[in-house]
Amino acid sequence: MAVAPPENACRRGHRRSLALDTVEGGSICLPCFAALVSDPHSPTYHFSHALSQLLLSLALEILQKTQCDDVRMNCLARWFLAFAALLKVLVVKGFHQNLLSSNCRRIYIKEMQDKGEKNPLITLFADALKGPLLSSNEEIQVNALDLIFLILSAKNCSIKQLQVLVEENIPDYIFEVIRLSAEEVFKQKLVVGFPTLLSVLYYTSEIPLYPVQPQILKLVCNSISCFPGIISISQVADLATTLTGILKRCIDGEHPETFILSCLMFSEILMSPSSCGVQKIGELIQEASRSAVLYSFAIPQELEKSIIITCQNYLLPWFQKVVDEEVDEGIVEAVLETFHLILLRGSDIQTQIFANNLVSSYWFNLSYAYLGLFPTDQMHSSIYLILGTIIDRTLGPEFGQPIRDACLYIPSDPLDLIFLLGQKSSLYTHLDLCQRAAFLILYVCSLYGESRGSPTGNMMQYSLEAEKILLNLLASEELDLFSISMHPIALKWLFQQEGIMTSLSYLILKFCQIFGANESHFLVSSNGFRPLNIEMVAELVISADNYVAPLLISLLKELHEESREDDMTCLLNTLTAIVREFPDASNQFCLNSFACAIRCLYCSACCSSKVFIDCSLLVLNVLYAANNKMISQEGEWLAISMKLLEYVNPILVSQPWGQEARLVLSIFCLILHHSKSQVLEEASKAVLLSTSLASAIENIVQKACDKGSSLVDHDEETEIGECLTSVLLLYFFSLDSLQSNLEECFNWQELLQSSQSPPLSIFSIKCHDLCRLMHFGSSTVKLLSSKCLLSILGRISEQRRKQQEELSCSLRYLLSLIAIVEGLIFYEERIVATNCCLCLCIILNWESLELQEKLLIRNSKWLRIIMEELTMTLTAPIMASKYFKNQHKPASHVAAALIRLEKAPEWMRTVFDISCISGILGNLSAQNLTAEMVNLFRALLSKKYLNEDHIQRLSQLFQVKLSLSYVLFLLIFK
């Protein structure tokens, strides 16, 4: 009776471990397959090579796709046995030389060949084994290496295929496996051979410039770093002595790497537990530190930086830690001497960084802690001398001299410093020196937050008595803060003292006088401590937690009352400079009665032309920068507007205008602009309803229109062009203000009336006059005029929609408007062209046009030329690449408007036929898809100009555009 094959075996009884799972879910028994292909009578004999490749490609595909170590382990264990059997057969049959060639025609192999791969199967083999080689499972790595060895041992790779393995970095992966596997073993051997390494180091340290000395130092340093307890007390002593000798020899010449490794190793042995038991370690540290610092001054700056980083990252944390432990005074002295030597002889940049790091690490509290531990004269001198040098490096040269002068007399207890400030006895000969030093120490401590305590547990109390004494000194003398540097925190504290407001006001005025005479004080800084300059004053104004802004405004009123014109000019120029460079300062001025002070100044009888100009410049900059919510004192601004109207109306009648007139009109523009946000409403109404201003503006516009074609020669650099630009800007802002404040009292269609209509009650420019300016004016005049016309036409449409009005202009008038805007659709300035196109679109959308007018529009040859020009440029590949960027935008608005007409021109379907739309879509991409093109295609879709292919193409474009936008969003906000 036949015995049934075991479970999970093939029909011939081969075990499951020799079967290969396929991607499709089946399996192939490799012994059966090998027997099949080795039998000469088998029908598959001649196809065995291709079948072998198929089997190998299946296996590699599975291994490449999996990311699970368990799957990798299972696959590699089976495949090694299976491939061993298979290769044995193939070698006998002579197929081994081409096993990894590319005759197999699986889909993914063909795809790789299409991409230019010369040998896709060997590439697949390399890619499939990269993951297992980098696995954290050692057994998987070994199996992968066995498989590579098996393939190569069978002589299955040609020279070209071996080159592919090298190009795919398989040797690098193998070396990485070796490195990772050997590292832990190597570390363990280091522990065993550490005494031998030390003996080699002692021997090589006696030979200058020994070639392998850096490598030996690195091995010893790694051993101590990985195993801190490996080194004994005696070894620490011997090693420290050896390293000190190496550092001494570095001064005369040594490998830079040797010096760096010696410093690092010295730091490592200091952090080892055994270093605490070495008696002479303090002397060795002192000697080694001195040699290291001296060597650093004769080597490049990068090495000096490394030394300072070592002191900062290793020595300073250790110095802070041992303050609460038992430590030898000599070690503390050595560390202080090292730090002091670096600060004295290092480069300016590096030592300043180091000094800032020291003071930011509660150095003052740490210093007084060590003074408490070692109250000796030597420690006293060392502490105060390094304090003076640190202050020199942080505050500026010679800033720490008071501490050096008093280092022998100043007390060691920080509480005694405060006591010294209250002493007035003349019996103490060194009292002045000590008080200056005490002031400086307390001042620097407060700047760096050490008055609030530190991790060392010390506390330097804030003294109200000391503050009182200081304020009395400041109030009793004239302050001269321009010859010294001040920290911003100290300056802010000074301007927060309400008790010395008179002195502070004097200081502000003196600063304005100096700034007016020499504006080079602007943005001067050094070491973080800066002379009083415009930047510091502006920062104080913006912070709003001091009295600088109120002082400046009150000083403005005071100088006006005393008629001090020169000082007034200096103050106004200073305020203008602050607002120009620091716009947020304008908000604080507005919150501190700025409008009241300006109104008083404008209404003053002593307001000369120069003061008026300076004051107007300040008002202009404040209104330009101020936030709407911060502007207050509506009544004061109304009075200012009335005063400015009174001042400027006579000037506007005469020619030429001066700077005063242009400044006033600019101020009116900003007042009208703010009125849109429901502020300065009364002031804006005063401007809008000024009949004198309206008459002056009308005269200027008529003079400009009368010049006809010669108006183009009058740009903004000429007298007429400058006046016309100012008027058009004022008119543009007035349109928005009129909509917000006087909409119920104004009929926008009055601006479509002819010149014979009665004058309006507000200043205005009729549409036909704007068209004349657009046609004849310079580019700037065209831009402003077209913007005003677009705003007017839009408001007319909105008014007609709300009130269901009929259009009140004649056909001839309307055609004249259309003729002007059509002529500027292809103007070189894109904004002007866009404005004109939008104006034309508004007119086209007016539904109440008469039938005759609609026929004129539909039969317009000029409009057809515009559309044909648009489609030609959008369909021509060479032209479309540039045209899609910006130039299509104006005409595309008109195209969309014509398509949406209830009765669109019949020629539109001829212009935008299927081939034309297909050509446009062929040149369109996600990168050049603009909002204007989307609007155009939306109109084409709504009127059924698009077929199914067009719609599908657009859908793909929108999906790509959405993906690009999402990626861009992630890149920006990541």
Side-chain angles (χ1 to χ4, degrees):
M1 187 174 71
V3 179
E7 190 178 357
N8 295 329
C10 73
R11 285 180 292 180
R12 293 189 179 185
H14 296 120
R15 62 182 182 272
R16 181 69 178 88
S17 61
L18 295 179
L20 177 67
D21 296 329
T22 65
V23 177
E24 290 79 6
S27 64
I28 298 176
C29 180
L30 294 184
C32 294
F33 179 81
L36 180 68
V37 299
S38 62
D39 184 1
H41 302 290
S42 171
T44 62
Y45 181 77
H46 298 289
F47 304 102
S48 58
H49 180 219
L51 291 172
S52 303
Q53 288 186 323
L54 174 61
L55 181 63
L56 183 58
S57 63
L58 285 169
L60 294 176
E61 184 179 14
I62 296 172
L63 185 59
Q64 183 186 35
K65 290 182 177 180
T66 184
Q67 298 295 326
C68 178
D69 278 349
D70 293 337
V71 177
R72 287 171 175 166
M73 185 65 193
N74 189 30
C75 292
L76 287 170
R78 290 191 208 166
W79 290 340
F80 178 75
L81 297 174
F83 283 139
L86 179 62
L87 288 173
K88 182 177 179 180
V89 174
L90 295 176
V91 168
V92 172
K93 296 184 64 176
F95 292 139
H96 62 280
Q97 302 242 347
N98 296 313
L99 181 60
L100 296 176
S101 62
S102 306
N103 297 328
C104 187
R105 291 295 187 264
R106 284 181 61 80
I107 294 176
Y108 66 89
I109 295 179
K110 186 175 186 307
E111 290 177 353
M112 294 174 71
Q113 288 175 334
D114 293 340
K115 295 178 182 177
E117 295 285 353
K118 296 180 180 179
N119 222 332
L121 195 54
I122 188 65
T123 304
L124 182 61
F125 175 78
D127 288 339
L129 289 181
K130 288 179 181 178
L133 286 174
L134 293 182
S135 173
S136 58
N137 189 312
E138 183 177 349
E139 192 172 356
I140 292 177
Q141 290 179 327
V142 172
N143 286 335
L145 291 171
D146 287 341
L147 186 58
I148 294 173
F149 179 75
L150 183 64
I151 293 294
L152 298 179
S153 299
K155 299 180 181 180
N156 196 48
C157 288
S158 65
I159 296 298
K160 291 183 178 180
Q161 291 167 341
L162 286 174
Q163 289 177 349
V164 173
L165 292 178
V166 173
E167 291 172 358
E168 291 293 326
N169 301 317
I170 292 299
D172 293 337
Y173 280 81
I174 296 174
F175 281 122
E176 183 67 13
V177 172
I178 297 173
R179 185 188 70 80
L180 292 175
S181 61
E183 191 171 276
E184 290 300 323
V185 178
F186 184 70
K187 287 181 181 179
Q188 295 172 6
K189 291 183 178 180
L190 277 180
V191 177
V192 178
F194 184 70
T196 305
L197 278 178
L198 288 181
S199 62
V200 175
L201 177 60
Y202 298 153
Y203 172 76
T204 59
S205 65
E206 299 175 358
I207 305 174
L209 297 172
Y210 195 79
V212 298
Q213 185 166 284
Q215 286 76 13
I216 298 172
L217 284 168
K218 189 173 183 180
L219 288 173
V220 175
C221 189
N222 288 340
S223 301
I224 300 173
S225 177
C226 295
F227 307 98
I230 194 176
I231 188 168
S232 64
I233 295 176
S234 60
Q235 288 174 334
V236 169
D238 295 339
L239 188 55
T241 303
T242 301
L243 292 174
T244 302
I246 294 175
L247 291 173
K248 280 184 179 180
R249 195 174 65 242
C250 286
I251 300 175
D252 299 325
E254 188 56 85
H255 293 296
E257 189 178 1
T258 298
F259 173 76
I260 295 173
L261 289 170
S262 299
C263 292
L264 290 174
M265 191 184 301
F266 217 117
S267 301
E268 292 292 343
I269 64 174
L270 286 178
M271 291 187 292
S272 67
S274 302
S275 63
C276 299
V278 180
Q279 294 181 353
K280 60 177 182 177
I281 191 67
E283 299 175 4
L284 293 172
I285 291 174
Q286 185 175 2
E287 193 172 351
S289 301
R290 184 183 295 107
S291 300
V293 173
L294 289 175
Y295 176 69
S296 69
F297 302 134
I299 57 178
Q301 183 181 2
E302 201 56 40
L303 191 53
E304 175 196 4
K305 181 180 178 181
S306 300
I307 294 172
I308 293 178
I309 290 175
T310 301
C311 290
Q312 176 184 322
N313 294 345
Y314 294 97
L315 200 51
L316 179 58
W318 174 84
F319 195 59
Q320 293 171 322
K321 178 182 177 182
V322 298
V323 70
D324 296 325
E325 304 173 3
E326 291 186 6
V327 62
D328 186 75
E329 182 179 356
I331 297 178
V332 177
E333 288 283 358
V335 174
L336 291 174
E337 185 178 354
T338 302
F339 288 174
H340 199 189
L341 193 58
I342 291 174
L343 292 169
L344 286 174
R345 301 186 59 178
S347 63
D348 291 341
I349 297 176
Q350 294 299 330
T351 53
Q352 183 180 337
I353 294 173
F354 185 50
N356 283 323
N357 287 327
L358 289 178
V359 294
S360 300
S361 302
Y362 298 100
W363 182 260
F364 286 84
N365 287 276
L366 189 62
S367 299
Y368 283 113
Y370 276 112
L371 271 177
L373 289 175
F374 307 107
T376 63
D377 292 339
Q378 179 64 33
M379 182 63 68
H380 184 278
S381 299
S382 299
I383 289 290
Y384 279 115
L385 286 176
I386 193 174
L387 283 180
T389 305
I390 288 174
I391 292 175
D392 282 342
R393 291 300 189 183
T394 54
L395 308 193
E398 304 302 322
F399 214 98
Q401 189 61 40
I403 296 179
R404 287 189 289 272
D405 293 340
C407 69
L408 298 178
Y409 317 109
I410 194 168
S412 300
D413 190 339
L415 296 178
D416 291 340
L417 298 179
I418 299 174
F419 174 76
L420 275 176
L421 297 180
Q423 302 304 305
K424 299 180 180 179
S425 174
S426 59
L427 299 177
Y428 189 17
T429 56
H430 304 293
L431 180 62
D432 290 342
L433 291 176
C434 292
Q435 285 182 336
R436 290 174 59 197
F439 263 127
L440 182 58
I441 292 173
L442 293 173
Y443 170 57
V444 178
C445 286
S446 65
L447 291 179
Y448 289 94
E450 295 203 46
S451 61
R452 295 187 294 274
S454 74
T456 63
N458 294 286
M459 183 77 69
M460 301 190 70
Q461 300 294 334
Y462 185 82
S463 173
L464 294 176
E465 183 66 23
E467 177 184 291
K468 182 179 179 181
I469 294 172
L470 177 60
L471 292 178
N472 289 336
L473 289 173
L474 294 174
S476 62
E477 301 179 6
E478 291 185 352
L479 300 179
D480 183 11
L481 301 182
F482 305 101
S483 59
I484 63 173
S485 295
M486 293 190 67
H487 195 280
I489 297 176
L491 190 66
K492 178 180 287 189
W493 174 86
L494 183 65
F495 280 98
Q496 289 173 338
Q497 308 310 310
E498 188 175 3
I500 55 172
M501 293 290 282
T502 302
S503 300
L504 295 177
S505 180
Y506 167 79
L507 174 64
I508 287 289
L509 179 58
K510 187 175 181 181
F511 168 77
C512 295
Q513 293 168 346
I514 294 176
F515 177 74
N518 181 17
E519 295 193 10
S520 62
H521 277 75
F522 189 69
L523 295 180
V524 178
S525 62
S526 64
N527 294 334
F529 281 71
R530 301 164 288 181
L532 185 61
N533 55 55
I534 198 75
E535 179 187 11
M536 298 177 73
V537 174
E539 289 172 352
L540 291 172
V541 171
I542 294 171
S543 65
D545 56 356
N546 55 81
Y547 293 107
V548 173
L551 278 173
L552 287 167
I553 302 304
S554 64
L555 193 58
L556 196 62
K557 297 178 183 178
E558 180 182 336
L559 295 177
H560 150 257
E561 293 171 356
E562 297 176 3
S563 301
R564 295 162 59 179
E565 183 174 334
D566 292 340
D567 290 341
M568 176 71 69
T569 300
C570 293
L571 177 59
L572 289 171
N573 291 337
T574 302
L575 292 172
T576 303
I578 290 173
V579 175
R580 280 179 176 173
E581 299 298 328
F582 305 90
D584 288 343
S586 60
N587 295 328
Q588 296 303 318
F589 290 152
C590 289
L591 294 176
N592 285 279
S593 303
F594 172 77
C596 178
I598 293 299
R599 190 260 307 161
C600 294
L601 185 57
Y602 274 138
C603 296
S604 173
C606 59
C607 183
S608 63
S609 176
K610 179 169 178 34
V611 172
F612 182 89
I613 292 175
D614 293 337
C615 184
S616 299
L617 278 172
L618 174 59
V619 173
L620 180 66
N621 282 278
V622 168
L623 286 176
Y624 178 77
N627 188 298
N628 295 324
K629 298 178 181 179
M630 299 298 176
I631 298 176
S632 57
Q633 298 180 298
E634 294 270 352
E636 300 290 352
W637 283 108
L638 174 60
I640 291 172
S641 300
M642 298 301 295
K643 187 64 182 178
L644 291 177
L645 284 168
E646 179 185 341
Y647 183 90
V648 79
N649 282 332
I651 299 177
L652 295 178
V653 177
S654 61
Q655 292 288 341
W657 288 1
Q659 184 181 6
E660 298 95 324
R662 293 190 293 273
L663 280 173
V664 171
L665 291 184
S666 300
I667 292 173
F668 287 164
C669 289
L670 293 175
I671 290 175
L672 295 171
H673 172 69
H674 282 294
S675 67
K676 294 191 304 179
S677 304
Q678 286 73 50
V679 295
L680 304 182
E681 293 180 340
E682 296 303 319
S684 65
K685 290 178 182 179
V687 176
L688 291 172
L689 299 176
S690 172
T691 55
S692 300
L693 182 62
S695 176
I697 288 175
E698 185 178 0
N699 291 334
I700 294 169
V701 171
Q702 291 305 317
K703 287 181 180 179
C705 292
D706 292 343
K707 291 189 175 294
S709 58
S710 64
L711 182 62
V712 71
D713 299 325
H714 297 276
D715 56 16
E716 57 271 18
E717 295 182 359
T718 64
E719 178 185 325
I720 295 178
E722 190 176 24
C723 294
L724 187 57
T725 301
S726 299
V727 166
L728 288 173
L729 277 172
L730 180 63
Y731 187 50
F732 173 74
F733 285 107
S734 71
L735 294 174
D736 290 336
S737 180
L738 189 62
Q739 176 81 8
S740 302
N741 300 314
L742 296 173
E743 182 181 13
E744 298 178 356
C745 307
F746 185 71
N747 180 11
W748 288 99
Q749 291 210 57
E750 291 183 9
L751 298 177
L752 286 173
Q753 303 299 322
S754 61
S755 56
Q756 286 76 25
S757 60
L760 300 177
S761 58
I762 63 171
F763 75 86
S764 59
I765 304 176
K766 299 292 185 66
C767 290
H768 56 273
D769 288 332
L770 289 173
C771 286
R772 291 174 185 170
L773 297 177
M774 288 166 57
H775 185 69
F776 295 116
S778 63
S779 59
T780 303
V781 172
K782 280 182 168 64
L783 174 62
L784 295 173
S785 302
S786 62
K787 195 68 178 175
C788 292
L789 181 62
L790 177 60
S791 179
I792 292 172
L793 294 179
R795 286 174 170 80
I796 291 174
S797 294
E798 183 67 16
Q799 177 180 300
R800 292 181 61 237
R801 183 187 66 81
K802 289 181 179 180
Q803 301 180 12
Q804 300 297 315
E805 293 179 347
E806 293 294 331
L807 199 62
S808 60
C809 66
S810 63
L811 171 62
R812 182 178 180 183
Y813 189 93
L814 188 64
L815 291 178
S816 65
L817 295 184
I818 293 175
I820 295 297
V821 296
E822 281 182 342
L824 292 173
I825 286 179
F826 291 113
Y827 186 67
E828 57 186 358
E829 294 288 340
R830 185 175 60 85
I831 300 178
V832 175
T834 301
N835 290 338
C836 292
C837 286
L838 293 175
C839 289
L840 182 59
C841 292
I842 291 174
I843 296 174
L844 292 176
N845 288 327
W846 282 349
E847 298 176 355
S848 59
L849 294 178
E850 297 296 332
L851 179 60
Q852 184 181 3
E853 298 164 1
K854 292 182 179 180
L855 289 173
L856 287 172
I857 293 173
R858 290 202 299 269
N859 296 330
S860 172
K861 295 182 179 180
W862 179 239
L863 284 177
R864 181 163 185 169
I865 292 174
I866 293 173
M867 293 300 100
E868 290 176 346
E869 176 76 10
L870 173 65
T871 55
M872 181 187 69
T873 51
L874 291 179
T875 53
I878 297 177
M879 301 178 66
S881 60
K882 296 182 180 180
Y883 201 76
F884 266 125
K885 292 181 180 179
N886 285 314
Q887 298 177 8
H888 72 281
K889 294 182 179 181
S892 62
H893 289 292
V894 179
L898 286 171
I899 292 171
R900 287 192 175 100
L901 287 176
E902 184 178 352
K903 292 184 179 180
E906 296 179 358
W907 48 263
M908 282 295 289
R909 290 195 175 271
T910 303
V911 174
F912 285 94
D913 57 10
I914 293 178
S915 61
C916 171
I917 297 174
S918 299
I920 296 174
L921 287 173
N923 295 325
L924 201 60
S925 66
Q927 287 75 18
N928 57 28
L929 183 62
T930 62
E932 287 77 11
M933 290 305 300
V934 172
N935 181 48
L936 174 60
F937 277 101
R938 184 183 289 116
L940 290 170
L941 179 63
S942 65
K943 295 298 183 179
K944 299 181 180 180
Y945 280 65
L946 306 180
N947 59 26
E948 291 298 327
D949 292 337
H950 298 156
I951 296 172
Q952 185 176 2
R953 171 62 179 159
L954 280 174
S955 178
Q956 294 173 352
L957 279 175
F958 292 146
Q959 290 177 4
V960 174
K961 184 72 172 180
L962 183 61
S963 301
L964 290 175
S965 302
Y966 179 68
V967 171
L968 182 61
F969 175 82
L970 292 180
L971 291 174
I972 294 174
F973 296 101
K974 183 176 180 181

